[in-house]
Amino acid sequence: MAEIAIIGATGMVGRQMLESLESSSCRVDRLYLYASKRSEGVTMTFRGTTVTVRALSESSIEPSIDYALFSAGGETARAYAHIMRKHNIVMIDNSSAWRMDPEVPLIVPEVNKAHYRGEPLIANPNCSTIQAVVPLYVIGRLFGLKRVAYTTYQSVSGSGRKGIDALDNPSPEKGHISDNVIPQIDVFETDGYTKEEHKMIHETRKILLDESLPVTATCVRVPVSNAHAVAINVTTKTPVDIEVLKRHLNHQPGIILTDTIEDLTPKAARDQDAIIVGRIRPDESLENTIHLWTVADNLRKGAATNAVQILKTIMEGQT
Ligand code: A2P
């Protein structure tokens, strides 16, 4: 038996979790959907059956649930972690609340599923970080990583429904994303970096198991509805043979390698699970350094698909 819950099922990521779970090979004997009080009674369909959304509260949690996919923000994830643990429910959380906790594995299955050792809570990494670490993992395995610099071009769906709303209905109160580019995602920290940039830096090190890896980032919001792009500049320990790298990227599950520009855009990445990689070229300004470009659907591989892949990995490990 496998009883599964989606917490935040009515949100952008939650809806995609439902779809990704539906199309996955995961066994689901019973599905529970939760959201805030205002969504109570809303119905959604899963594999041909109608499921009614419940209002999340401590008493509405069914203790028979085995696994819960959370995408209801950091506050809810922090508040409910101990309740999940009390009922022995394995929690996979998409928020940033638990990602850097040393007891919590931060998993991208193609890269570090071996870091999961039966913990009750697993964190799903930051969307831009997920699409960057898969190619970086391949580069690191072949040539060793010495330094990583990210510049992101992140779509508005990364900030949930309010992001899409601000793009579709521009107004002074909702910010200025329409016809614009904003070099700030999440709040500023005291060192002049944003919290989003810190997430990319620290999560990259944790996933790649290299706490001393120099990583830097500039995270930028662009007026694109969905799918992020990340430009990566990477310095390696040994010289990169680009043909060898391309051969390995071509064989890497989860990556599509292409030189066709139309395929390297958010529009092309949308509605698919793959990370699309291209524009690989030497950076002639620095020894052993290359540039690459990645695009991925941030609601899918950057969030829901990765969470469902974590679930699948755990379920397979337990059968
Ligand atoms: P609701 O739709 O009822 O507001 P998004 O980030 O796309 O806005 O989605 C957030 C998701 O998290 C939604 O499903 C939202 O439910 C849910 N959510 C927000 N706050 C809570 C809460 N306190 N308890 C349960 N679910 C919540």
Side-chain angles (χ1 to χ4, degrees), residues 11-315:
M12 304 276 311
V13 173
R15 285 174 189 277
Q16 185 58 54
M17 281 173 163
L18 186 72
E19 202 184 310
S20 299
L21 185 63
E22 179 162 82
S23 57
S24 77
S25 58
C26 289
R27 175 178 173 167
V28 183
D29 295 297
R30 183 135 191 209
L31 182 75
Y32 299 90
L33 302 177
Y34 293 90
S36 80
K37 184 115 191 68
R38 67 182 159 265
S39 300
E40 190 171 16
V42 167
T43 57
M44 300 172 91
T45 48
F46 179 75
R47 294 182 180 165
T49 60
T50 301
V51 185
T52 304
V53 175
R54 302 175 176 207
L56 181 69
S57 70
E58 186 163 356
S59 58
S60 70
I61 292 287
E62 290 290 339
S64 60
I65 294 167
D66 300 295
Y67 308 95
L69 298 170
F70 269 70
S71 190
E75 225 173 278
T76 307
R78 265 188 292 271
Y80 279 82
H82 75 280
I83 301 165
M84 296 297 121
R85 192 173 291 213
K86 189 173 87 187
H87 294 308
N88 249 333
I89 301 172
V90 175
M91 172 172 173
I92 299 168
D93 179 36
N94 189 52
S95 83
S96 62
W98 296 99
R99 288 180 192 152
M100 294 314 296
D101 187 306
E103 307 288 310
V104 175
L106 184 64
I107 302 291
V108 180
E110 295 91 334
V111 176
N112 67 337
K113 66 179 174 192
H115 295 183
Y116 175 70
R117 299 271 165 86
E119 291 85 348
L121 166 54
I122 302 98
N124 203 37
N126 164 272
C127 41
S128 300
T129 310
I130 291 176
Q131 74 184 69
V133 292
V134 181
L136 281 176
Y137 169 66
V138 177
I139 297 168
R141 245 179 17 212
L142 291 169
F143 310 109
L145 297 177
K146 200 167 163 190
R147 175 188 182 260
V148 176
Y150 296 128
T151 309
T152 71
Y153 306 76
Q154 295 181 229
S155 71
V156 297
S157 67
S159 58
R161 281 171 305 196
K162 66 178 190 309
I164 296 284
D165 185 41
L167 183 66
D168 291 345
N169 306 297
S171 72
E173 312 83 67
K174 287 176 186 155
H176 306 277
I177 190 60
S178 177
D179 192 26
N180 215 351
V181 157
I182 308 209
Q184 178 190 357
I185 299 178
D186 213 327
V187 295
F188 273 99
E189 308 274 24
T190 50
D191 60 0
Y193 282 73
T194 61
K195 199 169 167 193
E196 183 81 356
E197 290 159 354
H198 275 189
K199 286 178 209 166
M200 286 198 81
I201 293 166
H202 297 298
E203 293 181 25
T204 297
R205 293 179 182 147
K206 180 166 176 175
I207 296 162
L208 296 175
L209 219 58
D210 187 351
E211 280 310 314
S212 59
L213 180 68
V215 183
T216 189
T218 301
C219 293
V220 180
R221 188 73 75 198
V222 293
V224 167
S225 61
N226 187 36
H228 293 347
V230 182
I232 311 174
N233 183 266
V234 51
T235 302
T236 50
K237 289 182 177 155
T238 59
V240 174
D241 181 328
I242 288 190
E243 288 318 308
V244 170
L245 173 58
K246 284 186 172 173
R247 216 169 42 239
H248 281 80
L249 287 171
N250 253 325
H251 288 107
Q252 171 62 44
I255 283 185
I256 293 174
L257 185 67
T258 179
D259 284 325
T260 308
I261 290 303
E262 298 78 55
D263 294 338
L264 285 165
T265 60
K267 265 192 184 163
R270 216 166 282 163
D271 301 329
Q272 59 169 313
D273 289 330
I275 300 162
I276 306 169
V277 179
R279 301 277 343 259
I280 301 177
R281 63 207 190 276
D283 177 351
E284 306 290 2
S285 73
L286 203 60
E287 204 182 16
N288 296 344
T289 302
I290 58 167
H291 289 290
L292 61 149
W293 174 262
T294 69
V295 276
D297 185 322
N298 51 287
L299 298 176
R300 284 180 174 247
K301 184 55 183 167
T305 302
N306 199 69
V308 170
Q309 287 170 339
I310 294 172
L311 173 70
K312 191 164 175 276
T313 305
I314 295 172
M315 289 175 83

